[in-house]
């Protein structure tokens, strides 16, 4: 078949890879002038196979007033400006119950672990460098009730093949001595031995080359204006560059998915931020997640990537302020992890597509011939291989 894909980020590119492996003809369409110009450009870089938890957790209910009044630096909500945004928020609140969170945890764990095997298979098939390393990950907890709650789910996850273990802070420091330099008191940690890191942008540019070498076409600077249908069957795409005939389409457009087609799962933007700096005097090896601040520290080759926050229903006007807050909090907690005064400073903000459950929607739409692979939230890089493989099985 000839299959068109909207979106040339990591989700669209891995989707194209698995479709090409099945022998299909593939054309990728993106409104930007190159691959990975959105959420894939400078994300956290962590391949969180074993610690990919939904955002909606029971502890958020108790934090609601703090979040609603914007006194929580990690998560910010503006009042929803549309009915769909309000519906998303209500559904998100329902996913913060214990039962919903446990179910979402296990579903995400299954997808994440599938991605781990698929990436290894991909690397046997294609050999390229994207600063990929098995760094493992330690998630640090300041509040005992939150640590105990996370610890309670470890047994069920291990039944799926997850290798997470709970550690005392003393044991965590043995695995990563750099924790001693952090200016916070922690009561426990979760160690994810299998977790890895990789530069998503480098991966995407390398995969683009492989796809082009294997006959895939790319249409950049091309924005979808509308789908052309006959009854409920796809016939083509109206774009800023004219009509494109298409009978099979996979939409991997992240937060823009809803502008193209109605998704069975509501998808909204959770804006995240990152800064990339040279290393500091503490040469940490293990990736670290500060669960209270929702800040990640990752070593990517010879640079340090600091990623954080989740801002809902915000536009770009808040970016500079939030980047300064991310820099300030990171410097305060981990002053020696990066060279914060370096002139080699890169910053990024991106809209991550989130469903209320944090589970992406991977499947058909109501329009015949149109499929959706979107809503991966904070784990697009991690889940891209499993979701690309899964959507390819529809063809």
């Amino acid at each position: 078949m000839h299959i068109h894909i909207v979106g040339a980020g990591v989700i669209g590119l891995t989707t194209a890879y698995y479709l090409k492996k099945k022998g299909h003809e593939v054309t990728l369409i993106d409104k930007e002038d190159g691959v990975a110009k959105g959420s894939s450009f400078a994300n956290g870089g962590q391949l969180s196979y074993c610690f990919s938890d939904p955002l909606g957790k029971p502890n958020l209910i108790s934090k609601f007033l703090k979040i609603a009044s914007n006194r929580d630096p990690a998560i910010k909500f503006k009042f929803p400006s549309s009915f769909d945004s309000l519906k998303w928020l209500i559904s998100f609140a329902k996913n913060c119950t214990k039962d919903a969170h446990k179910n979402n945890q296990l579903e995400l764990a299954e997808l994440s672990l599938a991605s781990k095997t698929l990436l290894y298979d991909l690397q046997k098939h294609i050999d390229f460098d994207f600063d990929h390393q098995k760094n493992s990950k330690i998630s640090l907890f300041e509040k005992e009730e939150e640590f105990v709650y996370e610890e309670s789910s470890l047994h069920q996850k291990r039944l799926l093949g997850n290798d997470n273990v709970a550690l005392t802070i003393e044991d965590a420091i043995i695995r990563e001595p750099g924790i001693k330099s952090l200016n916070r008191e922690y009561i426990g940690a979760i160690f994810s031995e299998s977790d890895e890191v990789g530069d998503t942008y480098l991966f995407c540019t390398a995969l683009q080359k492989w796809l082009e070498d294997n006959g895939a076409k790319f249409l950049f600077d091309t924005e979808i204006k509308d789908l052309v249908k006959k009854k409920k069957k796809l016939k083509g795409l109206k774009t800023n560059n004219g009509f494109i005939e298409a009978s099979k389409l996979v939409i991997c457009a992240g937060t823009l998915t809803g502008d193209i087609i109605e998704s069975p799962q509501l998808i909204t933007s959770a804006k995240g931020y990152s800064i990339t700096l040279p290393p500091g005097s503490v040469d940490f090896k293990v990736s670290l997640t500060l669960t209270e601040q929702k800040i990640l520290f990752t070593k990517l080759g010879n640079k340090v990537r600091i990623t954080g926050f989740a801002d809902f229903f915000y536009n770009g006007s808040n970016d500079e302020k939030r980047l300064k807050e991310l820099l300030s909090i990171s410097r305060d907690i981990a002053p020696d992890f990066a060279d914060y005064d370096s002139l080699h400073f890169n910053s990024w903000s991106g809209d991550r597509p989130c469903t209320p459950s944090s589970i992406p929607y991977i499947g058909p739409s109501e329009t015949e011939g149109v499929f959706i692979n979107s809503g991966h939230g904070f784990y697009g890089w991690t889940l891209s291989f499993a979701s690309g493989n899964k959507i390819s099985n529809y063809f």
Side-chain angles (χ1 to χ4, degrees), residues 36-192:
K37 292 297 182 78
S39 294
S40 302
F41 183 71
N43 61 31
Q46 294 187 7
L47 289 158
S48 300
Y49 305 126
C50 292
F51 199 88
S52 50
D53 263 15
L55 179 66
K57 296 183 179 184
N59 73 313
L60 281 189
I61 296 170
S62 63
K63 290 182 176 180
F64 181 76
L65 283 176
K66 187 178 180 183
I67 292 170
S69 59
N70 282 331
R71 289 183 291 115
D72 186 323
I75 301 175
K76 291 190 181 296
F77 280 98
K78 283 187 82 172
F79 190 79
S81 58
S82 69
F83 182 61
D84 278 349
S85 298
L86 187 59
K87 280 200 303 183
W88 188 96
L89 191 56
I90 292 167
S91 182
F92 175 76
K94 290 177 180 176
N95 278 280
C96 289
T97 64
K98 281 189 178 180
D99 285 346
H101 179 252
K102 292 288 187 189
N103 290 335
N104 294 337
Q105 262 190 329
L106 294 176
E107 194 169 341
L108 268 181
E110 239 177 321
L111 271 175
S112 303
L113 289 166
S115 266
K116 176 184 172 185
T117 303
L118 287 163
L119 176 55
Y120 289 165
D121 291 342
L122 183 149
Q123 288 178 293
K124 291 175 189 172
H125 186 216
I126 312 173
D127 181 26
F128 53 76
D129 179 39
F130 54 98
D131 285 341
H132 179 234
Q133 292 181 30
K134 182 186 168 185
N135 282 18
S136 301
K137 179 163 77 171
I138 293 176
S139 300
L140 297 165
F141 293 83
E142 294 183 32
K143 295 180 178 175
E144 187 169 3
E145 65 272 21
E146 292 178 17
F147 176 58
V148 169
Y149 178 80
E150 292 297 337
E151 196 176 8
S152 70
S153 67
L154 295 185
H155 174 69
Q156 283 295 112
K157 286 184 175 182
R158 278 196 285 268
L159 295 177
L160 299 173
N162 188 301
D163 64 12
N164 281 356
V165 293
L167 300 178
T168 65
I169 283 304
E170 292 73 22
D171 287 337
I173 289 171
I174 290 170
R175 294 178 188 270
E176 176 45 70
I179 293 170
K180 284 190 298 186
S181 70
L182 300 179
N183 293 325
R184 286 292 188 278
E185 293 293 324
Y186 298 103
I187 54 86
I190 303 289
F191 177 60
S192 309

Side-chain angles (χ1 to χ4, degrees), residues 111-284:
L111 271 175
S112 303
L113 289 166
S115 266
K116 176 184 172 185
T117 303
L118 287 163
L119 176 55
Y120 289 165
D121 291 342
L122 183 149
Q123 288 178 293
K124 291 175 189 172
H125 186 216
I126 312 173
D127 181 26
F128 53 76
D129 179 39
F130 54 98
D131 285 341
H132 179 234
Q133 292 181 30
K134 182 186 168 185
N135 282 18
S136 301
K137 179 163 77 171
I138 293 176
S139 300
L140 297 165
F141 293 83
E142 294 183 32
K143 295 180 178 175
E144 187 169 3
E145 65 272 21
E146 292 178 17
F147 176 58
V148 169
Y149 178 80
E150 292 297 337
E151 196 176 8
S152 70
S153 67
L154 295 185
H155 174 69
Q156 283 295 112
K157 286 184 175 182
R158 278 196 285 268
L159 295 177
L160 299 173
N162 188 301
D163 64 12
N164 281 356
V165 293
L167 300 178
T168 65
I169 283 304
E170 292 73 22
D171 287 337
I173 289 171
I174 290 170
R175 294 178 188 270
E176 176 45 70
I179 293 170
K180 284 190 298 186
S181 70
L182 300 179
N183 293 325
R184 286 292 188 278
E185 293 293 324
Y186 298 103
I187 54 86
I190 303 289
F191 177 60
S192 309
E193 184 174 2
S194 295
D195 282 7
E196 302 171 344
V197 300
D199 190 312
T200 320
Y201 182 74
L202 293 180
F203 175 86
C204 287
T205 52
L207 190 54
Q208 176 192 7
K209 184 179 185 309
W210 182 89
L211 286 165
E212 288 176 330
D213 290 346
N214 285 271
K217 295 185 177 71
F218 286 81
L219 301 177
F220 294 118
D221 298 308
T222 302
E223 187 173 355
I224 308 298
K225 298 296 186 182
D226 202 3
L227 303 184
V228 179
K229 297 175 274 190
K230 187 174 183 181
K231 295 184 179 178
K232 285 195 171 183
K233 189 173 182 179
L234 181 70
K235 291 297 179 183
L237 314 169
K238 283 184 183 176
T239 79
N240 58 320
N241 293 323
F243 177 75
I244 297 172
E245 186 176 346
S247 61
K248 302 292 180 187
L249 180 69
V250 184
I251 298 174
C252 307
T255 57
L256 300 177
T257 297
D259 295 340
I260 301 169
I261 197 164
E262 186 175 345
S263 170
Q265 278 284 329
L266 289 168
I267 297 171
T268 197
S269 163
K271 177 153 280 195
Y273 308 85
S274 79
I275 49 181
T276 306
L277 294 159
S281 58
V282 171
D283 185 23
F284 70 99

